[in-house]
Amino acid sequence: MPTVRLDGETDFDGWRTAARRLRAAGVPPEAVTWSTESELFADEIEAAPGASAVTAPAAFVDLARDVVLHRSPSRWDALYRLLWRLKDEPRLLALATDEDVQRAVHLQREVSRASHKMKAFVRFRDVPHPEGEAFAAWFEPPHRVLEKTAPFFVRRFTAMRFSILTPDLCAHWDTRTLSFTPGEDRASIPPPDALEEAWTLYYASIFNPARLKVRMMCKEMPKRYWRNLPEAALIPDLIEKAATRTTAMVHADPAQTRRRVAGRAEAKADPAPSTNDTAPASLGAIADLIQGCRRCDLWRDATQGVPGEGPHDAPLMVVGEQPGDQEDLAGRAFVGPAGGVLDRAFAEAGVDRARLYLTNAVKHFKHEPRGKRRLHKTPNAGEVKACRWWLDSERSLLRPRVIMTLGATAAAAVIGKPTPVLKARGQAILLDDQSQAIVTLHPSYLLRLPDEAAKAEGFAMLVEDVRTAAKLAGL
Ligand code: URA
Protein backbone atom coordinates (compact mmCIF):
# COMPACT_ATOMS: atom_id res chain seq x y z
CA MET A 1 0.00 0.00 0.00
CA PRO A 2 1.77 3.25 -1.08
CA THR A 3 2.31 5.85 1.62
CA VAL A 4 2.69 9.44 0.53
CA ARG A 5 4.45 11.76 2.94
CA LEU A 6 3.49 15.39 2.46
CA ASP A 7 5.70 18.27 3.37
CA GLY A 8 3.36 19.94 5.81
CA GLU A 9 -0.29 20.25 6.77
CA THR A 10 -1.14 22.47 3.79
CA ASP A 11 1.21 21.02 1.18
CA PHE A 12 -1.09 21.35 -1.79
CA ASP A 13 1.70 21.13 -4.38
CA GLY A 14 3.10 17.94 -2.83
CA TRP A 15 -0.36 16.38 -2.75
CA ARG A 16 -1.02 17.38 -6.35
CA THR A 17 2.23 15.92 -7.68
CA ALA A 18 1.75 12.65 -5.79
CA ALA A 19 -1.96 12.41 -6.66
CA ARG A 20 -1.28 12.85 -10.38
CA ARG A 21 1.38 10.17 -10.33
CA LEU A 22 -0.82 7.78 -8.37
CA ARG A 23 -3.72 8.37 -10.73
CA ALA A 24 -1.53 7.83 -13.79
CA ALA A 25 -0.19 4.63 -12.21
CA GLY A 26 -3.76 3.44 -11.59
CA VAL A 27 -3.46 3.26 -7.78
CA PRO A 28 -7.02 3.38 -6.36
CA PRO A 29 -7.88 5.64 -3.40
CA GLU A 30 -8.34 2.76 -0.95
CA ALA A 31 -4.75 1.65 -1.59
CA VAL A 32 -3.12 4.97 -0.63
CA THR A 33 -2.11 6.31 2.79
CA TRP A 34 -1.57 10.06 3.05
CA SER A 35 0.60 11.34 5.85
CA THR A 36 2.11 14.57 7.09
CA GLU A 37 4.19 12.79 9.76
CA SER A 38 7.86 13.45 9.11
CA GLU A 39 9.17 10.13 10.41
CA LEU A 40 7.30 8.05 7.88
CA PHE A 41 8.99 6.95 4.67
CA ALA A 42 7.36 7.90 1.45
CA ASP A 43 7.04 5.47 -1.42
CA GLU A 44 8.29 6.44 -4.82
CA ILE A 45 5.38 6.18 -7.18
CA GLU A 46 6.11 5.66 -10.83
CA ALA A 47 3.50 6.36 -13.47
CA ALA A 48 2.57 3.26 -15.48
CA PRO A 49 4.47 3.06 -18.80
CA GLY A 50 2.49 4.82 -21.51
CA ALA A 51 0.06 6.34 -18.98
CA SER A 52 -1.23 9.73 -20.07
CA ALA A 53 -0.73 12.78 -17.87
CA VAL A 54 -3.57 13.44 -15.46
CA THR A 55 -5.31 16.78 -15.70
CA ALA A 56 -8.13 18.14 -13.60
CA PRO A 57 -10.59 20.96 -14.25
CA ALA A 58 -9.75 24.38 -12.82
CA ALA A 59 -12.81 24.18 -10.55
CA PHE A 60 -11.35 21.06 -8.93
CA VAL A 61 -8.00 22.74 -8.38
CA ASP A 62 -9.74 25.72 -6.70
CA LEU A 63 -11.77 23.37 -4.54
CA ALA A 64 -8.69 21.35 -3.60
CA ARG A 65 -6.66 24.44 -2.67
CA ASP A 66 -9.31 25.28 -0.10
CA VAL A 67 -9.96 21.75 1.13
CA VAL A 68 -6.31 21.14 2.05
CA LEU A 69 -6.65 23.97 4.59
CA HIS A 70 -9.23 21.99 6.55
CA ARG A 71 -8.04 20.21 9.70
CA SER A 72 -9.81 16.97 8.85
CA PRO A 73 -7.18 14.18 8.56
CA SER A 74 -9.25 12.64 5.75
CA ARG A 75 -9.03 15.70 3.47
CA TRP A 76 -6.22 14.30 1.28
CA ASP A 77 -8.09 11.10 0.76
CA ALA A 78 -11.37 12.92 0.03
CA LEU A 79 -9.60 14.90 -2.70
CA TYR A 80 -7.86 11.91 -4.20
CA ARG A 81 -11.20 10.10 -4.41
CA LEU A 82 -12.54 12.93 -6.50
CA LEU A 83 -9.45 13.12 -8.69
CA TRP A 84 -9.63 9.35 -9.20
CA ARG A 85 -13.23 9.52 -10.38
CA LEU A 86 -12.87 12.70 -12.46
CA LYS A 87 -10.97 10.83 -15.16
CA ASP A 88 -14.03 8.75 -16.08
CA GLU A 89 -16.65 11.22 -14.84
CA PRO A 90 -15.50 14.64 -16.06
CA ARG A 91 -18.79 16.28 -14.99
CA LEU A 92 -18.63 14.82 -11.48
CA LEU A 93 -18.30 18.17 -9.69
CA ALA A 94 -21.69 19.24 -11.05
CA LEU A 95 -23.38 16.35 -9.23
CA ALA A 96 -24.43 18.10 -6.06
CA THR A 97 -25.99 14.91 -4.67
CA ASP A 98 -22.84 12.82 -5.02
CA GLU A 99 -21.42 11.86 -1.61
CA ASP A 100 -17.78 12.48 -2.50
CA VAL A 101 -18.63 15.87 -3.99
CA GLN A 102 -20.78 16.78 -1.00
CA ARG A 103 -17.98 15.87 1.39
CA ALA A 104 -15.41 18.03 -0.40
CA VAL A 105 -17.84 20.96 -0.78
CA HIS A 106 -18.67 20.72 2.92
CA LEU A 107 -14.97 20.92 3.83
CA GLN A 108 -14.53 23.86 1.46
CA ARG A 109 -17.50 25.69 3.03
CA GLU A 110 -16.04 25.28 6.50
CA VAL A 111 -12.70 26.63 5.31
CA SER A 112 -14.38 29.54 3.61
CA ARG A 113 -16.42 30.27 6.73
CA ALA A 114 -13.25 30.19 8.86
CA SER A 115 -11.60 32.66 6.49
CA HIS A 116 -14.64 34.91 6.58
CA LYS A 117 -14.78 34.84 10.38
CA MET A 118 -11.08 35.63 10.52
CA LYS A 119 -11.71 38.80 8.48
CA ALA A 120 -14.37 39.82 10.97
CA PHE A 121 -12.80 38.76 14.26
CA VAL A 122 -9.08 39.58 14.13
CA ARG A 123 -8.47 42.33 16.70
CA PHE A 124 -5.17 44.21 16.52
CA ARG A 125 -3.32 45.62 19.50
CA ASP A 126 -0.66 48.32 19.48
CA VAL A 127 2.82 46.85 19.96
CA PRO A 128 6.18 48.57 20.41
CA HIS A 129 8.29 48.76 17.26
CA PRO A 130 11.67 50.46 16.76
CA GLU A 131 10.49 52.14 13.54
CA GLY A 132 7.21 53.53 14.85
CA GLU A 133 3.69 52.20 15.01
CA ALA A 134 2.94 48.48 14.71
CA PHE A 135 0.09 46.16 15.52
CA ALA A 136 -0.28 42.51 16.39
CA ALA A 137 -3.22 40.19 16.78
CA TRP A 138 -3.57 36.71 18.22
CA PHE A 139 -6.07 34.49 16.43
CA GLU A 140 -7.05 30.82 16.62
CA PRO A 141 -8.72 29.83 13.35
CA PRO A 142 -10.56 26.49 13.31
CA HIS A 143 -8.82 25.71 10.00
CA ARG A 144 -5.45 26.72 8.54
CA VAL A 145 -6.67 29.82 6.74
CA LEU A 146 -3.98 32.36 7.61
CA GLU A 147 -2.10 32.23 4.29
CA LYS A 148 -5.37 32.39 2.36
CA THR A 149 -6.71 35.32 4.39
CA ALA A 150 -3.57 37.40 5.09
CA PRO A 151 -3.71 39.17 1.67
CA PHE A 152 -7.10 40.57 2.71
CA PHE A 153 -5.50 42.28 5.73
CA VAL A 154 -2.66 43.54 3.55
CA ARG A 155 -5.14 45.16 1.17
CA ARG A 156 -7.11 46.61 4.03
CA PHE A 157 -4.21 47.85 6.17
CA THR A 158 -1.61 48.47 3.47
CA ALA A 159 -0.05 51.38 5.30
CA MET A 160 0.07 49.62 8.67
CA ARG A 161 2.85 47.36 9.99
CA PHE A 162 1.21 44.28 11.48
CA SER A 163 1.55 40.65 12.51
CA ILE A 164 -1.16 38.05 12.89
CA LEU A 165 -0.07 35.27 15.22
CA THR A 166 -1.75 31.87 15.17
CA PRO A 167 -0.78 28.49 16.61
CA ASP A 168 -0.02 27.15 13.10
CA LEU A 169 1.70 30.06 11.40
CA CYS A 170 2.31 33.79 11.81
CA ALA A 171 1.94 36.43 9.09
CA HIS A 172 3.94 39.67 9.08
CA TRP A 173 3.39 42.73 6.89
CA ASP A 174 6.04 45.47 7.03
CA THR A 175 4.11 47.74 4.59
CA ARG A 176 6.02 46.20 1.65
CA THR A 177 6.42 42.46 2.07
CA LEU A 178 4.21 39.76 3.46
CA SER A 179 6.19 37.01 5.20
CA PHE A 180 5.38 33.98 7.32
CA THR A 181 7.07 32.39 10.32
CA PRO A 182 6.17 29.25 12.32
CA GLY A 183 3.23 29.32 14.71
CA GLU A 184 3.45 30.76 18.22
CA ASP A 185 1.72 29.91 21.43
CA ARG A 186 -0.87 31.91 23.28
CA ALA A 187 1.72 33.35 25.66
CA SER A 188 2.95 35.58 22.81
CA ILE A 189 -0.28 37.61 22.80
CA PRO A 190 0.52 41.29 23.21
CA PRO A 191 -1.07 42.93 26.29
CA PRO A 192 -4.42 44.76 25.95
CA ASP A 193 -4.34 48.39 24.80
CA ALA A 194 -6.70 51.33 24.20
CA LEU A 195 -7.99 49.82 20.96
CA GLU A 196 -9.52 47.10 23.06
CA GLU A 197 -11.61 49.63 24.90
CA ALA A 198 -12.73 51.14 21.59
CA TRP A 199 -13.97 47.74 20.40
CA THR A 200 -15.84 47.18 23.64
CA LEU A 201 -17.51 50.60 23.46
CA TYR A 202 -18.40 50.12 19.82
CA TYR A 203 -19.93 46.73 20.44
CA ALA A 204 -21.97 47.98 23.40
CA SER A 205 -23.24 50.86 21.25
CA ILE A 206 -24.47 48.69 18.37
CA PHE A 207 -26.01 46.02 20.60
CA ASN A 208 -29.78 46.28 20.30
CA PRO A 209 -31.47 44.49 23.22
CA ALA A 210 -34.85 44.47 21.48
CA ARG A 211 -33.48 42.36 18.67
CA LEU A 212 -31.54 39.90 20.78
CA LYS A 213 -31.62 36.35 19.45
CA VAL A 214 -29.06 34.42 21.41
CA ARG A 215 -28.96 31.45 19.04
CA MET A 216 -28.44 33.62 16.01
CA MET A 217 -25.84 35.71 17.79
CA CYS A 218 -23.85 32.61 18.71
CA LYS A 219 -24.06 31.48 15.11
CA GLU A 220 -22.77 34.81 13.83
CA MET A 221 -20.12 35.12 16.52
CA PRO A 222 -19.46 31.49 17.49
CA LYS A 223 -18.34 30.96 21.06
CA ARG A 224 -15.02 29.47 19.96
CA TYR A 225 -13.94 33.02 18.96
CA TRP A 226 -15.01 34.73 22.16
CA ARG A 227 -11.85 34.28 24.18
CA ASN A 228 -9.89 36.43 21.72
CA LEU A 229 -12.55 39.10 21.24
CA PRO A 230 -12.36 41.98 23.71
CA GLU A 231 -16.03 42.84 23.22
CA ALA A 232 -17.14 39.26 23.98
CA ALA A 233 -16.59 39.90 27.71
CA LEU A 234 -19.68 42.13 27.54
CA ILE A 235 -21.99 39.55 26.06
CA PRO A 236 -23.25 37.75 29.20
CA ASP A 237 -24.08 41.07 30.86
CA LEU A 238 -25.77 42.50 27.74
CA ILE A 239 -27.89 39.37 27.43
CA GLU A 240 -28.85 39.44 31.08
CA LYS A 241 -29.96 43.07 30.90
CA ALA A 242 -31.62 42.85 27.48
CA ALA A 243 -35.16 42.32 28.76
CA THR A 244 -35.01 45.27 31.16
CA ARG A 245 -33.51 47.55 28.52
CA THR A 246 -36.17 46.52 25.98
CA THR A 247 -38.96 47.38 28.40
CA ALA A 248 -37.35 50.78 28.98
CA MET A 249 -37.11 51.35 25.19
CA VAL A 250 -40.77 50.48 24.68
CA HIS A 251 -41.78 53.06 27.28
CA ALA A 252 -39.36 55.74 26.09
CA ASP A 253 -40.51 58.89 24.31
CA PRO A 254 -40.42 57.94 20.59
CA ALA A 255 -38.80 61.24 19.63
CA GLN A 256 -35.79 60.19 21.71
CA THR A 257 -35.52 56.72 20.30
CA ARG A 258 -32.47 56.39 18.10
CA ARG A 259 -31.06 53.62 16.06
CA ARG A 260 -34.04 51.38 15.95
CA VAL A 261 -32.98 48.57 13.72
CA ALA A 262 -35.38 46.58 11.60
CA GLY A 263 -35.46 42.80 11.50
CA ARG A 264 -32.96 41.12 9.25
CA ALA A 265 -32.99 37.81 7.52
CA GLU A 266 -30.68 35.48 9.37
CA ALA A 267 -27.19 35.59 7.92
CA LYS A 268 -25.87 32.19 6.91
CA ALA A 269 -22.47 30.57 6.62
CA ASP A 270 -20.52 31.60 3.55
CA PRO A 271 -21.97 30.32 0.36
CA ALA A 272 -19.59 29.21 -2.37
CA PRO A 273 -17.74 32.30 -3.61
CA SER A 274 -19.40 32.43 -6.98
CA THR A 275 -21.52 34.77 -9.00
CA ASN A 276 -24.92 33.29 -9.49
CA ASP A 277 -27.28 34.50 -12.19
CA THR A 278 -30.38 32.73 -10.92
CA ALA A 279 -32.74 35.24 -9.31
CA PRO A 280 -32.65 34.72 -5.51
CA ALA A 281 -35.89 33.34 -4.12
CA SER A 282 -36.02 35.47 -0.97
CA LEU A 283 -34.45 38.44 0.76
CA GLY A 284 -32.77 35.94 3.09
CA ALA A 285 -31.20 34.26 0.07
CA ILE A 286 -29.89 37.64 -1.10
CA ALA A 287 -28.34 38.23 2.32
CA ASP A 288 -26.55 34.88 1.96
CA LEU A 289 -25.55 35.18 -1.66
CA ILE A 290 -24.01 38.64 -1.53
CA GLN A 291 -21.32 37.14 0.72
CA GLY A 292 -20.06 35.28 -2.33
CA CYS A 293 -20.62 38.12 -4.82
CA ARG A 294 -17.79 38.65 -7.28
CA ARG A 295 -19.62 40.95 -9.72
CA CYS A 296 -17.02 43.63 -9.10
CA ASP A 297 -13.83 43.86 -7.02
CA LEU A 298 -15.20 45.64 -3.97
CA TRP A 299 -15.61 42.40 -2.01
CA ARG A 300 -11.83 42.09 -1.82
CA ASP A 301 -11.32 44.87 0.73
CA ALA A 302 -14.63 44.65 2.54
CA THR A 303 -15.25 42.63 5.68
CA GLN A 304 -18.52 41.32 4.30
CA GLY A 305 -21.42 42.15 2.01
CA VAL A 306 -24.02 44.21 3.86
CA PRO A 307 -27.56 43.12 3.02
CA GLY A 308 -30.69 45.21 3.26
CA GLU A 309 -32.92 44.70 6.25
CA GLY A 310 -36.54 45.11 7.12
CA PRO A 311 -39.91 43.41 6.66
CA HIS A 312 -40.35 41.57 3.34
CA ASP A 313 -43.60 43.47 2.70
CA ALA A 314 -42.35 46.94 3.59
CA PRO A 315 -44.19 49.52 1.45
CA LEU A 316 -41.24 51.92 1.62
CA MET A 317 -37.72 50.98 0.61
CA VAL A 318 -34.88 53.34 1.54
CA VAL A 319 -31.75 53.10 -0.60
CA GLY A 320 -28.40 54.53 0.49
CA GLU A 321 -25.12 54.59 -1.39
CA GLN A 322 -22.99 51.87 0.21
CA PRO A 323 -22.19 50.61 3.71
CA GLY A 324 -19.81 52.76 5.73
CA ASP A 325 -16.99 51.66 8.03
CA GLN A 326 -19.26 50.62 10.90
CA GLU A 327 -21.81 48.95 8.64
CA ASP A 328 -19.00 46.94 7.05
CA LEU A 329 -17.88 45.66 10.45
CA ALA A 330 -21.36 45.04 11.83
CA GLY A 331 -22.79 43.60 8.58
CA ARG A 332 -25.87 45.81 8.93
CA ALA A 333 -27.02 48.85 6.97
CA PHE A 334 -27.18 52.30 8.58
CA VAL A 335 -25.83 51.52 12.03
CA GLY A 336 -23.11 54.20 11.93
CA PRO A 337 -23.23 58.03 12.04
CA ALA A 338 -25.31 58.39 8.83
CA GLY A 339 -27.77 55.90 10.31
CA GLY A 340 -27.97 58.09 13.41
CA VAL A 341 -29.00 61.11 11.29
CA LEU A 342 -31.50 59.00 9.41
CA ASP A 343 -33.00 57.72 12.66
CA ARG A 344 -33.42 61.28 13.89
CA ALA A 345 -35.17 62.19 10.63
CA PHE A 346 -37.48 59.15 10.94
CA ALA A 347 -38.27 60.02 14.55
CA GLU A 348 -39.02 63.64 13.65
CA ALA A 349 -41.23 62.59 10.73
CA GLY A 350 -43.01 60.10 12.99
CA VAL A 351 -41.97 57.11 10.88
CA ASP A 352 -41.11 53.78 12.49
CA ARG A 353 -37.85 52.47 11.02
CA ALA A 354 -38.90 48.91 11.82
CA ARG A 355 -41.59 49.17 9.10
CA LEU A 356 -39.11 50.16 6.36
CA TYR A 357 -36.69 48.16 4.29
CA LEU A 358 -33.25 49.79 4.32
CA THR A 359 -30.60 48.86 1.80
CA ASN A 360 -27.80 50.26 -0.33
CA ALA A 361 -27.11 50.66 -4.04
CA VAL A 362 -23.73 48.96 -3.50
CA LYS A 363 -23.40 46.16 -0.97
CA HIS A 364 -19.68 46.29 -0.16
CA PHE A 365 -17.78 49.12 1.54
CA LYS A 366 -15.44 50.95 -0.86
CA HIS A 367 -12.65 52.75 0.93
CA GLU A 368 -8.98 53.61 0.97
CA PRO A 369 -6.65 53.19 3.94
CA ARG A 370 -5.42 56.33 5.69
CA GLY A 371 -3.27 55.24 8.62
CA LYS A 372 -5.53 53.23 10.88
CA ARG A 373 -8.66 54.69 9.31
CA ARG A 374 -10.60 53.56 6.28
CA LEU A 375 -11.87 56.48 4.27
CA HIS A 376 -15.07 56.20 2.28
CA LYS A 377 -14.66 56.27 -1.52
CA THR A 378 -17.62 56.86 -3.81
CA PRO A 379 -18.38 53.76 -5.90
CA ASN A 380 -17.91 54.28 -9.64
CA ALA A 381 -20.56 53.76 -12.32
CA GLY A 382 -19.27 50.24 -13.11
CA GLU A 383 -19.55 49.16 -9.48
CA VAL A 384 -23.04 50.63 -9.14
CA LYS A 385 -24.06 48.88 -12.35
CA ALA A 386 -22.63 45.55 -11.19
CA CYS A 387 -24.48 45.80 -7.89
CA ARG A 388 -27.75 46.78 -9.52
CA TRP A 389 -28.42 43.10 -9.99
CA TRP A 390 -28.86 42.79 -6.22
CA LEU A 391 -30.87 45.97 -5.90
CA ASP A 392 -33.17 44.90 -8.72
CA SER A 393 -33.55 41.47 -7.08
CA GLU A 394 -34.53 43.16 -3.80
CA ARG A 395 -36.98 45.42 -5.63
CA SER A 396 -38.67 42.60 -7.48
CA LEU A 397 -39.03 40.51 -4.31
CA LEU A 398 -40.20 43.38 -2.12
CA ARG A 399 -42.27 45.32 -4.69
CA PRO A 400 -42.34 48.44 -2.51
CA ARG A 401 -44.85 51.16 -3.33
CA VAL A 402 -42.22 53.84 -2.82
CA ILE A 403 -38.43 53.94 -2.95
CA MET A 404 -36.68 56.80 -1.19
CA THR A 405 -33.16 57.35 -2.51
CA LEU A 406 -30.49 59.00 -0.39
CA GLY A 407 -27.95 60.99 -2.43
CA ALA A 408 -26.85 60.90 -6.04
CA THR A 409 -25.53 57.33 -6.24
CA ALA A 410 -28.76 55.79 -4.95
CA ALA A 411 -30.87 58.07 -7.17
CA ALA A 412 -28.92 57.02 -10.28
CA ALA A 413 -29.10 53.33 -9.32
CA VAL A 414 -32.86 53.39 -8.77
CA ILE A 415 -33.94 55.81 -11.51
CA GLY A 416 -31.43 54.49 -14.02
CA LYS A 417 -29.87 57.82 -14.97
CA PRO A 418 -28.00 60.67 -13.25
CA THR A 419 -30.51 62.74 -11.29
CA PRO A 420 -29.64 66.09 -9.63
CA VAL A 421 -30.64 65.58 -6.00
CA LEU A 422 -31.37 69.15 -4.93
CA LYS A 423 -33.46 69.81 -8.03
CA ALA A 424 -35.38 66.53 -8.03
CA ARG A 425 -35.86 66.07 -4.29
CA GLY A 426 -39.26 65.61 -2.73
CA GLN A 427 -41.22 65.01 -5.96
CA ALA A 428 -42.65 61.62 -6.84
CA ILE A 429 -40.99 60.07 -9.91
CA LEU A 430 -42.81 57.18 -11.57
CA LEU A 431 -40.54 54.19 -12.15
CA ASP A 432 -40.83 51.48 -14.81
CA ASP A 433 -42.29 48.96 -12.36
CA GLN A 434 -44.99 51.51 -11.39
CA SER A 435 -43.46 52.19 -7.99
CA GLN A 436 -42.55 55.79 -7.19
CA ALA A 437 -39.20 57.23 -6.26
CA ILE A 438 -38.60 60.09 -3.85
CA VAL A 439 -35.11 61.52 -4.14
CA THR A 440 -33.57 63.14 -1.08
CA LEU A 441 -30.25 64.17 0.45
CA HIS A 442 -27.83 61.65 1.83
CA PRO A 443 -27.46 61.89 5.63
CA SER A 444 -23.64 61.73 5.29
CA TYR A 445 -23.81 64.87 3.16
CA LEU A 446 -25.48 66.62 6.10
CA LEU A 447 -22.74 65.41 8.43
CA ARG A 448 -20.12 66.93 6.15
CA LEU A 449 -21.75 70.38 5.86
CA PRO A 450 -19.48 72.85 7.65
CA ASP A 451 -21.99 75.26 9.20
CA GLU A 452 -24.83 74.57 11.57
CA ALA A 453 -27.41 76.62 9.67
CA ALA A 454 -26.83 74.65 6.45
CA LYS A 455 -26.99 71.41 8.44
CA ALA A 456 -30.32 72.38 10.00
CA GLU A 457 -31.72 73.40 6.62
CA GLY A 458 -30.60 70.14 5.01
CA PHE A 459 -32.01 68.12 7.88
CA ALA A 460 -35.38 69.85 7.56
CA MET A 461 -35.42 68.89 3.85
CA LEU A 462 -34.62 65.29 4.73
CA VAL A 463 -37.45 65.17 7.28
CA GLU A 464 -39.88 66.71 4.80
CA ASP A 465 -38.91 64.15 2.15
CA VAL A 466 -39.26 61.27 4.62
CA ARG A 467 -42.79 62.51 5.41
CA THR A 468 -43.65 62.71 1.70
CA ALA A 469 -42.31 59.23 1.01
CA ALA A 470 -44.09 57.70 4.04
CA LYS A 471 -47.38 59.31 3.06
CA LEU A 472 -47.10 58.08 -0.54
CA ALA A 473 -46.33 54.61 0.81
CA GLY A 474 -49.45 54.71 3.00
CA LEU A 475 -47.52 54.60 6.27
N1 URA B 1 -24.21 55.30 4.21
C1 URA B 1 -24.97 54.59 3.34
O1 URA B 1 -25.24 55.03 2.24
N2 URA B 1 -25.40 53.41 3.72
C2 URA B 1 -25.14 52.89 4.91
O2 URA B 1 -25.57 51.76 5.17
C3 URA B 1 -24.39 53.67 5.80
C4 URA B 1 -23.91 54.86 5.44
Side-chain angles (χ1 to χ4, degrees), residues 65-85:
R65 280 190 193 281
D66 277 348
V67 169
V68 299
L69 307 181
H70 201 282
R71 290 193 198 271
S72 164
S74 64
R75 64 197 180 284
W76 309 109
D77 180 54
L79 288 175
Y80 185 55
R81 266 176 203 289
L82 283 182
L83 183 72
W84 174 262
R85 290 180 56 195

Side-chain angles (χ1 to χ4, degrees), residues 306 320-324 327 332-336 338-339 359-360 406 442 444:
V306 177
E321 181 194 83
Q322 61 161 351
E327 285 80 11
R332 307 183 66 183
F334 289 105
V335 293
T359 192
N360 282 296
L406 309 174
H442 196 289
S444 303

